[in-house]
């Protein structure tokens, strides 16, 4: 048995205990975690400083260095997040429906944890605590496999988390870190069938696609976002310009940022005249089809074929003209990733048609795609945004980390 | 592009039309299907006769020959099933929850179809129509890949179904049959990513495991049933004997039949004295641990290690003694397939503990495991019984063939 298989076996064993732990006990463990992170902050920051020094020596990009960095303020944010999760309602044990059948059997459907949730992620150490807290609250054991760059930080964090679990009388194996951040263990984790009930990759599109392709355990794909905004011929163009600017520029690296503008040919010139001055503030590069290029001249550059499927995560926008809403809908269904899509229009029927026909987790009328988020949707917190249709779609809160179990009360019934 | 990729592409295109078809239109198509099956019964039976002749010539087992056989009565049953599905409530379009957020965004979660459902199954031609009807009602396009032995029958059935769709003004590609029943096309179907949203294998454990292992499209595992009944020291032994006899002998080939009796050591002798005369009626072979063998003598045979994980589907029962409910629970969680598990006891606390701690789709107190079924659970019909925790667990009715979509009504909101 490999080290990871042993870890999987221990996680599975812990999951049987955690699945029957009550809400009060789980909340006490979350409070114990919050206190442990506060008490051991200095040690965690020292480990983070080591990771940062190694990362600087290896010459990693400033954006990545920023994600890797912890400080007192960020630890306080993480601790506040743990307490927020403790305050959320516990989905486990809720009976969604229950009825007495004609033969007298009483059949109820009860929410239960998924079991063991594995998470593969990149260099953001706050994910370690966020994910562990959401899993714990929803009765799931987690196996965390963070990025190599954050390994020392994650070790310090998980050590604090496990100590806190023990203090709260729950098995330490409810939270564990893969002890080797190499590629081989990631691959092994993807095939830990029998121990891992679901694997959630968090990070860039490359990571997510590789995991979905390779894994034999069930996977939830999250966070691939090639999002579109369609500006209709009957749009309020000023509103459309504000929405597009927000969706592109407020935080271009996130998955709910817009990557492609589809604009009705009748209003292309008027709309671009309104929105380009806004986009100029962030020097957004515009990759255009021929018709848009004819309007924009040297402000645009010609789009290549791959621009119509690109998740830039940057100040770049693909711009394409369409002749009607149906062309926009068909283009989105062919090129989108099923994340977030928006129409800007005053026309009631076009709005309804867009909501019906676009195949995505979140479809908007007259609002920014940037709202696709567990907090904004009222879920309290999220472990990711699912872009698949199986199990969960859109922001995944605590409820999306559950399964169900039928419980049946009989008095001798046979069939 | 291969023939199957073209079929996948056509299915995906049809799915965008079907997903927005209203309930009345789908019900009219189901009635059109019922009539087409009635009108073309003779042609379907002729095709079935060809399949049967080939199967007899190939010397297939009588049980399989029986599954392959259609006759007037079975077609009438299939037609009645189609009309029952038409009468079920349509889950599509229902908004599970909707709220107005503090910023004025109105966010609703709407039930939508999964998209394209592929089904790989064995020689039962009634599955062809059952599955197609459930998919159609839930707005899903289906791609059917039946067993080779039933190919001519399936062609005749699907030809009738497609003609009926056309007559009801829906795309014929809403239902299609894989036109080559070889192993290579099955494998290709398992990798038809981008066209197939979910693949459901129906059949024996070997088929299901092979599909789950191989597929890169999302899979729902169904119908693997290594089910246990635990007879507690405080059980009503007469009731327990009736339940065990029902769960083993009423239909041993199905997935909710019991495969293993776990009996508390204190009542092993008394319980076996009651139940064995019942099991004798079906000449059930008893594969026993040492303690049970000591009671049963020559009526039992020693169990081998693999008996503790066997899905017999036959008049065979594994028998094992345990020292307490916790041992039974741990054994079930280690050896069960997460399908259906039962405890027989008068003790309230043991019953509650068993319901909480056993990790399975359906957990029973004092009733037969044979009730795990969409009809018995009040779902109206089922496409299979999921033994996984992701997406759906237990009997899968129309609702389990859906996903959701967030629809968001804005008035210019930005974040």
């Amino acid at each position: 048995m490999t080290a990871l298989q042993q870890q999987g076996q221990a996680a599975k064993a812990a999951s049987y205990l955690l699945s029957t732990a009550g809400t009060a006990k789980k909340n006490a463990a979350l409070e114990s975690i919050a206190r442990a992170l506060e008490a051991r902050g200095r040690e965690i920051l020292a480990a983070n400083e080591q990771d940062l020094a190694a990362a600087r020596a290896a010459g990693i990009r400033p954006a990545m260095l920023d994600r890797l960095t912890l400080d007192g303020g960020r630890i306080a944010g993480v601790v506040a997040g743990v307490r927020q999760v403790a305050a959320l309602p516990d989905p486990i044990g809720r009976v969604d429906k229950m009825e007495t059948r004609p033969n007298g059997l009483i059949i109820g459907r009860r929410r239960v944890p998924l079991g063991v949730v594995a998470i593969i992620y990149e260099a953001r150490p706050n994910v370690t605590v966020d994910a562990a807290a959401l899993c714990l609250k929803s009765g799931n054991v987690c196996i965390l496999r963070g990025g190599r760059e954050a390994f020392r930080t994650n070790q310090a964090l998980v050590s604090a988390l496990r100590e806190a679990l023990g203090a709260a009388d729950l098995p330490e194996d409810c939270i564990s870190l893969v002890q080797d951040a190499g590629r081989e263990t990631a691959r092994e984790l993807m095939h830990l069938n029998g121990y891992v009930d679901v694997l959630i990759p968090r990070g860039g599109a490359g990571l997510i696609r590789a995991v979905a392709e390779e894994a034999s355990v069930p996977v939830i794909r999250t966070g691939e976002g090639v999002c579109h905004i369609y500006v209709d011929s009957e749009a309020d163009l000023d509103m459309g310009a504000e929405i597009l600017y927000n969706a592109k520029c407020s935080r271009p690296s996130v998955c709910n940022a817009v990557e492609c503008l589809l604009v009705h040919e009748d209003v292309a010139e008027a709309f671009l005249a309104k929105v380009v001055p806004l986009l100029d503030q962030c020097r957004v590069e515009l990759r255009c089809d021929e018709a848009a290029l004819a309007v924009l001249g040297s402000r645009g550059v010609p789009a290549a074929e791959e621009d119509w499927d690109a998740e830039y995560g940057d100040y770049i926008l693909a711009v394409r003209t369409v002749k009607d809403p149906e062309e926009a809908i068909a283009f989105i269904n062919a090129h989108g990733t099923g994340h977030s899509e928006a129409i800007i229009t005053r026309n009631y029927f076009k709005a309804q048609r867009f909501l019906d026909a676009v195949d995505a987790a979140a479809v908007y009328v007259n609002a920014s795609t940037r709202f696709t988020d567990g907090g904004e949707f009222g879920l309290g917190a999220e472990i990711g945004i699912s872009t698949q249709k199986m199990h969960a779609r859109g922001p995944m809160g605590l409820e999306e980390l559950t399964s169900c179990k039928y419980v049946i009360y009989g008095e001798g019934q046979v069939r």
Side-chain angles (χ1 to χ4, degrees), chain A:
Chain A
M1 206 175 237
T2 67
L4 193 59
Q5 284 171 329
Q6 282 174 19
Q7 189 173 346
Q9 196 175 46
K12 196 73 187 167
S15 80
Y16 293 123
L17 290 166
L18 183 57
S19 70
T20 57
T23 305
K25 189 161 193 169
K26 293 186 288 187
N27 285 346
L30 287 165
E31 179 55 31
S32 172
I33 282 173
R35 288 188 190 165
L37 291 172
E38 287 169 337
R40 293 173 63 173
R42 191 173 302 181
E43 177 190 330
I44 291 162
L45 291 179
N48 188 243
E49 195 39 64
Q50 287 189 300
D51 278 334
L52 287 169
R56 277 188 216 103
I60 70 167
R61 289 182 297 128
M64 197 148 165
L65 210 60
D66 178 59
R67 290 183 194 177
L68 180 56
T69 302
L70 285 183
D71 56 28
R74 287 190 179 182
I75 289 187
V78 163
V79 167
V82 171
R83 292 198 167 110
Q84 273 168 24
V85 169
L88 291 174
D90 184 351
I92 300 302
R94 196 183 66 216
V95 176
D96 296 331
K97 54 178 188 182
M98 188 164 205
E99 64 172 321
T100 304
R101 300 291 304 158
N103 61 5
L105 281 181
I106 301 171
I107 302 184
R109 194 172 69 179
R110 185 195 279 186
R111 287 280 123 207
V112 297
L114 286 168
V116 176
V117 177
I119 299 154
I120 296 183
Y121 53 107
E122 294 175 334
R124 293 173 56 185
N126 60 321
V127 172
T128 305
V129 182
D130 289 353
L134 285 165
C135 286
L136 181 60
K137 178 78 186 217
S138 55
N140 291 295
V141 165
C142 65
I143 299 179
L144 303 163
R145 196 277 188 188
R148 211 175 16 181
E149 300 78 6
F151 186 65
R152 295 177 193 86
T153 313
N154 286 335
Q155 275 197 308
L157 288 167
V158 171
S159 161
L161 300 180
R162 286 169 64 95
E163 188 187 274
L165 286 169
D169 196 26
L170 280 174
E172 294 196 347
D173 287 324
C174 289
I175 299 171
S176 68
L177 183 70
V178 176
Q179 286 302 310
D180 168 353
R183 274 166 192 265
E184 266 317 305
T185 53
R187 195 163 295 130
E188 200 188 338
L189 190 55
M190 296 178 211
H191 295 284
L192 216 56
N193 298 69
Y195 299 130
V196 169
D197 291 289
V198 60
L199 171 60
I200 304 176
R202 283 184 61 164
L207 170 73
I208 287 156
R209 270 172 222 174
V211 169
E213 194 82 349
E214 167 79 21
S216 53
V217 300
V219 170
I220 298 181
R221 294 178 78 134
T222 65
E224 290 165 280
V226 178
C227 305
H228 302 75
I229 291 179
Y230 165 61
V231 176
D232 181 51
S233 56
E234 296 180 71
D236 177 327
L237 299 185
D238 290 308
M239 179 192 283
E242 289 297 335
I243 288 172
L244 184 78
Y245 171 63
N246 176 263
K248 179 73 261 178
C249 296
S250 60
R251 207 168 158 205
S253 65
V254 293
C255 58
N256 56 21
V258 71
E259 304 293 7
C260 180
L261 162 66
L262 299 171
V263 58
H264 193 289
E265 57 189 14
D266 292 352
V267 294
E269 192 165 353
F271 181 67
L272 290 169
K274 284 187 192 287
V275 78
V276 169
L278 297 176
L279 299 175
D280 283 343
Q281 298 174 33
C282 300
R283 297 182 173 190
V284 176
E285 182 182 329
L286 302 172
R287 302 198 181 167
C288 306
D289 71 352
E290 271 188 39
L293 208 57
V295 174
L296 288 172
S298 64
R299 177 65 185 84
V301 297
E305 204 45 44
E306 56 268 29
D307 280 303
W308 308 122
D309 299 288
E311 185 171 3
Y312 301 118
D314 204 344
Y315 292 106
I316 306 171
L317 182 72
V319 181
R320 188 181 179 101
T321 52
V322 293
K323 67 175 194 307
D324 59 27
E326 291 306 317
E327 187 183 338
I329 291 166
F331 185 85
I332 289 168
N333 285 341
H335 294 272
T337 51
H339 194 297
S340 300
E341 307 292 348
I343 184 174
I344 313 299
T345 189
R346 284 196 186 94
N347 182 301
Y348 169 86
F349 291 100
K350 289 178 183 171
Q352 293 292 100
R353 169 68 186 158
F354 193 86
L355 289 174
D356 289 348
V358 168
D359 188 21
V363 189
Y364 292 82
V365 178
N366 294 329
S368 170
T369 55
R370 289 276 291 106
F371 287 105
T372 305
D373 170 273
E376 295 290 336
F377 277 23
L379 306 183
E382 68 170 46
I383 199 153
I385 294 169
S386 165
T387 55
Q388 65 181 36
K389 293 190 196 170
M390 291 266 294
H391 188 72
R393 200 177 195 200
M396 293 179 65
L398 291 172
E399 183 155 338
E400 284 71 26
L401 288 171
T402 69
S403 181
C404 67
K405 170 201 274 190
Y406 283 95
V407 294
I408 301 107
Y409 301 88
E411 40 190 15
Q413 283 88 342
V414 295
R415 186 178 173 193

